[in-house]
Amino acid sequence: MEKRNIILLLDDDNDWLTLSREMLAALPSHPEILTANTGKRALALLESEPVRLLICDLKMPRIDGLQVLSIVRRRYPELRTVVLSALEDEEFRSRAYALGVDLFWIKIEMQRNSKLFIECLESLLGRDDETGFRGIQSKSLMDIIQMECLSRSSSVLRITRGPLVSKLWIQDGELIDAEAEGVRGEAAFRRILTWKSGTFENLPAEPARERTIQKPVNALLLESAQDMDENAMPATPEAVEDFAHRKTVWKLSQLTRAGAEFVIAIPPEGQGEPEALGTQVVTPLVQWTRHADAIARRLGERIEAGPILQVTGQNLERQVLVVSLDERLFLVGWPADATGNLLEKSRKLIASWDS
Amino acid sequence: MGFLKKFFRGRAAVQQLPAGTVTVDRAGHIVTSTVSSAYPQNLLRGIGTDVLKLFHEARAAQMPLAEISLQFGSLHITARELRGGAIIFLLPQTALLPTPSPSRL
């Protein structure tokens, strides 16, 4: 039997809840409708029920809708969220979008266009595992930055993609600075725009932040979009070769910047060729890495010591780490005197390669 | 009672994790050990053999290693190469213990 989606309606007006419940009963997928008239009750229901979609009012006593949404975004990143509010204020709209809601509807509009509203909800319930940022699965990072700038807001966007963290500083709707992977300014901004998925949060504005980006954000977005198009569709064999070369050079620069000596990316056997940078000795190291991983896994099972988290080795010249990520193994070599959390550094380096 | 035991076998006991230091020679024989004698010797030998295999294969891969660490969910194994054999430190991980670093061992 097909599993029914669960929709949770949150509003402090009980009459409105009854009305909305009747309207949602018209959804073609016949979801189960739960209702809550306080934020606390809604959070308790989210804890106990596998809710797919939350429809939330903004103005409520005690915990208001924006608070609920910010809690929900952190705790249930997969949950679809819709704001249904009587507040026709653009500031609330942009704040709600900044919190990652999928849709923002004004109550009166919803009553006028109930058919469209129902179609939008049905579409949200149907979507699964699409790429995108935060809860705004259909929006790219470019859309989100444009929204922030159009609303003339001042904030700091903190964007996270796995172990990579970057920040964008927006002041009065203008992008003034960006920081990613040790780079600042326009270069960092371009780098961030290549990320295809991730999460982000709005931090308080930092008006005192030094300005490093002078170009208007739309010009930067346009340039970046052109770069991405050119990279995505190399037209000729020369362009393909040039693209591959640039990619290799870029990866090597990342390797050098991180301070690592070499990286070998090893796909599962029979699923492609290993990719090595910074070392000529590839085949023996690939074999050792695969054996080391297999030996460690078997040993862990035999002695009931739990899953293998990390295999490291060192000699007088270097330290090596075997990192497992998305079914691939990576052997990362570091100088013997490298310090800090090398596992974390290795993961960051690998994630930056893949972004 | 013997008759009942045929039907009601006892539950497999949870294996205690080894704690202590073991030295193995180049053939994988245990030379000295401070691990509890209650810990199965075949498992201890298995640890020694696997560790030696890792050192041996690293040498064959033109990457001789002086030390290898295996961090499991609940056990940290650090092994130092010792003239073809190895000295192996076995440290169970509990919530109260910080993750050991080679310098502390």
Side-chain angles (χ1 to χ4, degrees), chain A residues 259-261 314-320 333-340 342 345:
Chain A
E261 285 187 346
Q314 67 180 77
N315 56 27
L316 288 174
E317 292 167 1
R318 70 175 59 90
Q319 308 174 60
V320 289
W334 296 87
D337 56 357
T339 53
L342 292 187
K345 283 184 178 179

Short mmCIF file of all heavy atoms in Angstrom, two decimals, chain A residues 259-261 314-320 333-340 342 345:
data_model
loop_
_atom_site.label_atom_id
_atom_site.label_comp_id
_atom_site.label_asym_id
_atom_site.label_seq_id
_atom_site.Cartn_x
_atom_site.Cartn_y
_atom_site.Cartn_z
N GLY A 259 48.86 22.13 1.56
CA GLY A 259 50.12 21.65 2.13
C GLY A 259 50.30 20.15 2.02
O GLY A 259 51.22 19.58 2.61
N ALA A 260 49.41 19.49 1.26
CA ALA A 260 49.52 18.03 1.10
C ALA A 260 50.54 17.71 0.02
O ALA A 260 50.85 18.55 -0.84
CB ALA A 260 48.16 17.45 0.74
N GLU A 261 51.07 16.48 0.06
CA GLU A 261 52.06 16.08 -0.95
C GLU A 261 51.40 15.43 -2.15
O GLU A 261 51.78 15.67 -3.29
CB GLU A 261 53.07 15.11 -0.33
CG GLU A 261 54.07 15.79 0.57
CD GLU A 261 55.16 14.84 1.02
OE1 GLU A 261 55.02 13.61 0.85
OE2 GLU A 261 56.15 15.34 1.57
N GLN A 314 52.91 6.37 8.96
CA GLN A 314 53.93 7.41 8.86
C GLN A 314 55.32 6.84 8.88
O GLN A 314 55.57 5.74 9.39
CB GLN A 314 53.75 8.47 9.95
CG GLN A 314 54.02 8.00 11.36
CD GLN A 314 53.79 9.16 12.33
OE1 GLN A 314 52.68 9.51 12.65
NE2 GLN A 314 54.88 9.75 12.79
N ASN A 315 56.22 7.58 8.25
CA ASN A 315 57.64 7.29 8.33
C ASN A 315 58.37 8.61 8.51
O ASN A 315 57.73 9.63 8.79
CB ASN A 315 58.11 6.51 7.09
CG ASN A 315 57.80 7.24 5.79
OD1 ASN A 315 57.71 8.47 5.78
ND2 ASN A 315 57.61 6.50 4.71
N LEU A 316 59.68 8.60 8.34
CA LEU A 316 60.42 9.84 8.61
C LEU A 316 60.09 10.94 7.62
O LEU A 316 60.26 12.13 7.90
CB LEU A 316 61.93 9.55 8.58
CG LEU A 316 62.47 8.76 9.78
CD1 LEU A 316 63.92 8.42 9.58
CD2 LEU A 316 62.28 9.55 11.08
N GLU A 317 59.63 10.54 6.42
CA GLU A 317 59.40 11.55 5.37
C GLU A 317 57.97 12.06 5.32
O GLU A 317 57.72 13.21 4.99
CB GLU A 317 59.75 10.96 4.00
CG GLU A 317 61.21 10.68 3.83
CD GLU A 317 61.49 9.82 2.62
OE1 GLU A 317 60.53 9.46 1.92
OE2 GLU A 317 62.66 9.50 2.41
N ARG A 318 57.02 11.17 5.55
CA ARG A 318 55.64 11.62 5.36
C ARG A 318 54.64 10.84 6.22
O ARG A 318 54.99 9.83 6.82
CB ARG A 318 55.23 11.49 3.89
CG ARG A 318 55.06 10.09 3.37
CD ARG A 318 54.53 10.12 1.97
NE ARG A 318 55.43 10.85 1.08
CZ ARG A 318 56.42 10.30 0.40
NH1 ARG A 318 56.63 9.00 0.50
NH2 ARG A 318 57.19 11.01 -0.38
N GLN A 319 53.44 11.39 6.21
CA GLN A 319 52.31 10.71 6.85
C GLN A 319 51.27 10.44 5.76
O GLN A 319 51.10 11.27 4.86
CB GLN A 319 51.66 11.62 7.89
CG GLN A 319 52.64 12.20 8.90
CD GLN A 319 51.96 13.21 9.80
OE1 GLN A 319 51.02 12.89 10.51
NE2 GLN A 319 52.47 14.43 9.78
N VAL A 320 50.63 9.30 5.83
CA VAL A 320 49.58 9.01 4.85
C VAL A 320 48.28 8.66 5.56
O VAL A 320 48.29 8.09 6.66
CB VAL A 320 49.96 7.84 3.90
CG1 VAL A 320 51.05 8.25 2.95
CG2 VAL A 320 50.32 6.59 4.67
N GLY A 333 48.74 11.99 1.08
CA GLY A 333 50.08 12.06 1.67
C GLY A 333 50.36 13.45 2.19
O GLY A 333 50.06 14.44 1.51
N TRP A 334 50.90 13.53 3.38
CA TRP A 334 51.25 14.81 4.00
C TRP A 334 52.71 14.77 4.43
O TRP A 334 53.22 13.69 4.74
CB TRP A 334 50.38 15.07 5.24
CG TRP A 334 48.93 15.21 4.95
CD1 TRP A 334 48.01 14.20 4.88
CD2 TRP A 334 48.21 16.42 4.67
NE1 TRP A 334 46.77 14.71 4.58
CE2 TRP A 334 46.86 16.06 4.45
CE3 TRP A 334 48.58 17.76 4.59
CZ2 TRP A 334 45.88 17.00 4.14
CZ3 TRP A 334 47.60 18.70 4.29
CH2 TRP A 334 46.27 18.32 4.07
N PRO A 335 53.37 15.92 4.50
CA PRO A 335 54.75 15.92 5.02
C PRO A 335 54.77 15.41 6.46
O PRO A 335 53.77 15.54 7.18
CB PRO A 335 55.17 17.40 4.97
CG PRO A 335 54.17 18.08 4.11
CD PRO A 335 52.91 17.28 4.15
N ALA A 336 55.93 14.86 6.86
CA ALA A 336 56.02 14.28 8.21
C ALA A 336 55.75 15.33 9.29
O ALA A 336 55.24 15.01 10.37
CB ALA A 336 57.39 13.66 8.40
N ASP A 337 56.10 16.59 8.98
CA ASP A 337 55.93 17.61 10.03
C ASP A 337 54.57 18.31 9.96
O ASP A 337 54.35 19.30 10.67
CB ASP A 337 57.07 18.64 9.95
CG ASP A 337 57.16 19.28 8.57
OD1 ASP A 337 56.37 18.88 7.69
OD2 ASP A 337 58.01 20.18 8.38
N ALA A 338 53.68 17.84 9.11
CA ALA A 338 52.35 18.47 9.04
C ALA A 338 51.63 18.28 10.36
O ALA A 338 51.66 17.19 10.95
CB ALA A 338 51.53 17.85 7.91
N THR A 339 51.00 19.33 10.82
CA THR A 339 50.31 19.25 12.12
C THR A 339 48.82 19.54 11.96
O THR A 339 48.36 19.85 10.87
CB THR A 339 50.91 20.26 13.12
OG1 THR A 339 50.89 21.54 12.50
CG2 THR A 339 52.30 19.90 13.54
N GLY A 340 48.11 19.46 13.03
CA GLY A 340 46.66 19.72 13.00
C GLY A 340 45.91 18.43 12.73
O GLY A 340 46.49 17.34 12.68
N LEU A 342 44.75 16.09 10.55
CA LEU A 342 44.99 15.76 9.15
C LEU A 342 43.79 15.08 8.50
O LEU A 342 43.58 15.20 7.29
CB LEU A 342 46.23 14.87 9.02
CG LEU A 342 47.55 15.54 9.37
CD1 LEU A 342 48.72 14.61 9.04
CD2 LEU A 342 47.74 16.85 8.62
N LYS A 345 41.59 17.89 7.49
CA LYS A 345 42.21 18.62 6.37
C LYS A 345 42.08 17.81 5.08
O LYS A 345 41.81 18.37 4.02
CB LYS A 345 43.69 18.86 6.67
CG LYS A 345 43.97 19.97 7.63
CD LYS A 345 45.47 20.14 7.74
CE LYS A 345 45.88 21.26 8.64
NZ LYS A 345 47.36 21.36 8.74
#
